[in-house]
Amino acid sequence: MTDGTPRTAGAPEPATSAEKPAVPADPPATSAETPAAPAELTSLERTALYKSLGNPLRRRILDYLGRHGEANSTVLARELGESSGTTSYHLRKLAEQKLIEEIPEKSGGRERWWRSLPFSHTAPDPATMTTEEYAAAEHLALLKIEVDTRLFRRAHEEYRGPQGWAQVQRTGTWMTKNDLHDFVRAYQELLDRYSHPDDAVPEGARRVNLRFYAAPDPVGEWEGEPTGP
């Protein structure tokens, strides 16, 4: 999921009902954190999406489906330590938001099998969010920061040199805003080029978690140089 991280100090002023900015879509991805949604969402729809992705059990369900491809409520109940009634309820809610879909050829009677859908979403400027949307997005962002912090530590702990599975790159450089936007597009093209879809995974492949962040130095840090927005 491509998104921004809301500021954690002070919520923005509530947006009016007319403020429904378009959400630019990235090319489809296939990870568990990237289920499917429309290219453009209203503030209410984005709020519901952030709340779903911020629900701990729903995140675990999406993660399981992303790693194992498919499951039913009974399998998820056993693997996640929940009741089948609870997992069935959350599966239906995820399906309502088009984050997952039923597998017709495997479903029959009361037994319904599910798989995750490709998803892409870019969060809008927090200043355009309503108070409720901002709160949901902030909660989700804080959860992601915890996950990403653990992943960052793992990458360092498991680093075994430039030929190993764990890789770490940290760089600082000079870019214009247009340079940065071009770089982000090129980064996405690289992901598309070297990624394999769930139904065509080659032998020896492993799920790899990648994160990309870019933030300019604070304005004034370089004595008046244009380092800010």
Side-chain angles (χ1 to χ4, degrees):
M1 175 170 170
T2 302
D3 57 1
T5 301
R7 298 176 299 275
T8 55
E13 290 297 317
T16 66
S17 58
E19 289 178 307
K20 296 179 179 177
V23 181
D26 297 325
T30 56
S31 73
E33 274 196 10
T34 55
E40 183 172 343
L41 305 176
T42 66
S43 177
L44 287 176
E45 290 169 333
R46 289 195 303 269
T47 301
L49 173 67
Y50 301 150
K51 286 182 176 179
S52 271
L53 294 176
N55 179 287
L57 180 53
R58 292 182 192 178
R59 289 180 65 82
R60 293 170 65 201
I61 289 173
L62 290 171
D63 181 66
Y64 185 92
L65 291 175
R67 292 177 183 277
H68 299 278
E70 58 187 40
N72 60 19
S73 59
T74 303
V75 170
L76 288 167
R78 181 183 68 241
E79 296 297 321
L80 304 182
E82 300 286 342
S83 70
S84 59
T86 297
T87 55
S88 179
Y89 169 80
H90 286 287
L91 284 166
R92 291 196 303 272
K93 290 300 181 182
L94 290 169
E96 287 175 7
Q97 291 186 302
K98 303 190 187 311
L99 302 180
I100 64 173
E101 67 177 2
E102 189 175 351
I103 306 175
E105 60 271 23
K106 292 198 66 172
S107 300
R110 295 174 60 86
E111 184 177 13
R112 304 173 71 184
W113 285 78
W114 305 87
R115 60 190 166 209
S116 59
L117 288 167
F119 168 83
S120 172
H121 172 71
T122 300
D125 183 345
T128 68
M129 294 180 178
T130 64
T131 301
E132 184 179 9
E133 180 185 352
Y134 180 89
E138 181 180 42
H139 174 69
L140 176 58
L142 292 174
L143 290 176
K144 288 185 175 183
I145 288 172
E146 293 177 6
V147 172
D148 290 351
T149 299
R150 292 196 296 271
L151 181 61
F152 180 74
R153 291 183 179 277
R154 269 193 53 213
H156 280 275
E157 292 167 357
E158 297 178 13
Y159 180 74
R160 297 296 181 268
Q163 303 305 315
W165 275 101
Q167 296 294 311
V168 179
Q169 292 288 332
R170 300 174 72 249
T171 304
T173 188
W174 290 88
M175 291 184 178
T176 65
K177 185 181 288 187
N178 286 339
D179 291 336
L180 176 60
H181 293 172
D182 288 343
F183 181 86
V184 172
R185 282 189 287 271
Y187 171 79
Q188 183 61 58
E189 291 171 1
L190 281 174
L191 289 178
D192 294 340
R193 184 189 309 172
Y194 291 103
S195 299
H196 302 284
D198 291 341
D199 58 357
V201 178
E203 185 177 353
R206 296 173 60 182
R207 270 180 53 89
V208 178
N209 297 292
L210 298 99
R211 300 292 188 271
F212 168 75
Y213 302 103
D217 288 336
V219 174
E221 185 164 314
W222 290 85
E223 299 183 355
E225 294 292 337
T227 59

